[in-house]
Amino acid sequence: MRMIPAHTGPLAILTLNMQGTMLATASDKGTLIRIFDTQTCLLLYELRRGTNKAHISSVAFNRLSNLLCVTSDTKTLHIFSLDGKSKSRSVTKHTLSHALPSVCCFGNDENTVIVISSSGYYFKIRWNDKGETFKEEQFKFMLLSDD
C-alpha cells in the first residue's frame, strides 16, 4: 500500500486535477500547498501561499494542470505555475474585496480566474505576462437572507 505524506497537521482541503493524476493538499495552517503524483505518491511541487496562517477555502487546477489557483481567508487569490521552472512562490496575487470564503476556477479565456464568494460576489480576474492582475468583472449576483 502506498501513502502520500501530505502534511504533519490536519488537512484543510484537497483536490484532484481533471485527469486524476495530481493531488493538491493544504493543511489547516494554510502556508503550503503540496502537489503529488497520484500514481507514484511522489511530491511534485511545494508552493508557498504565505508565511502567516490562513484558512484555504479553494484550490483548483486549470485544464492543462500547469496552473493552480488558491483562495484563502486573507482575501487573496494566488496563481501558481506548475511548469517546473517557476519558484515555489505564486506567479501573481490579487487582493479581493467581499470574498470570504470563496471558490475559484480558471475561466475559458486565457489568463483568467473566476472567483465566487459566499457573500454573493462574482469576480473575473485577468493577469498579464508581467504578473499584473486586473479585475475584469465584479458584481453581486445574489442577496443573502437569514432564512
Side-chain angles (χ1 to χ4, degrees), residues 70-137:
V70 177
T71 56
S72 70
D73 66 352
T74 61
K75 294 186 179 179
T76 55
L77 162 71
H78 290 264
I79 309 294
F80 294 94
S81 174
L82 304 178
D83 63 5
K85 300 172 190 171
S86 300
K87 296 180 181 176
S88 66
R89 297 229 177 247
S90 54
V91 173
T92 191
K93 174 180 160 181
H94 186 84
T95 302
L96 301 164
S97 57
H98 315 294
L100 297 173
S102 58
V103 293
C104 60
C105 70
F106 287 89
N108 285 330
D109 301 334
E110 189 174 342
N111 290 6
T112 61
V113 170
I114 308 300
V115 178
I116 303 288
S117 76
S118 64
S119 56
Y121 282 88
Y122 169 97
F123 302 92
K124 183 176 184 181
I125 309 299
R126 179 177 298 280
W127 72 95
N128 62 22
D129 293 337
K130 295 178 185 176
E132 300 166 322
T133 60
F134 309 92
K135 193 179 336 174
E136 204 164 85
E137 291 181 58

Side-chain angles (χ1 to χ4, degrees), residues 21-101:
T21 58
M22 296 168 80
L23 171 70
T25 66
S27 73
D28 63 350
K29 189 174 178 184
T31 56
L32 294 174
I33 294 93
R34 293 189 174 127
I35 313 289
F36 296 91
D37 181 306
T38 57
Q39 297 296 308
T40 64
C41 300
L42 293 175
L43 177 66
L44 300 174
Y45 300 95
E46 185 171 82
L47 311 169
R48 180 159 297 279
R49 186 219 42 89
T51 55
N52 296 327
K53 187 174 180 174
H55 173 73
I56 304 294
S57 57
S58 182
V59 175
F61 290 92
N62 70 342
R63 278 189 292 258
L64 300 175
S65 300
N66 62 351
L67 294 171
L68 188 81
C69 62
V70 177
T71 56
S72 70
D73 66 352
T74 61
K75 294 186 179 179
T76 55
L77 162 71
H78 290 264
I79 309 294
F80 294 94
S81 174
L82 304 178
D83 63 5
K85 300 172 190 171
S86 300
K87 296 180 181 176
S88 66
R89 297 229 177 247
S90 54
V91 173
T92 191
K93 174 180 160 181
H94 186 84
T95 302
L96 301 164
S97 57
H98 315 294
L100 297 173

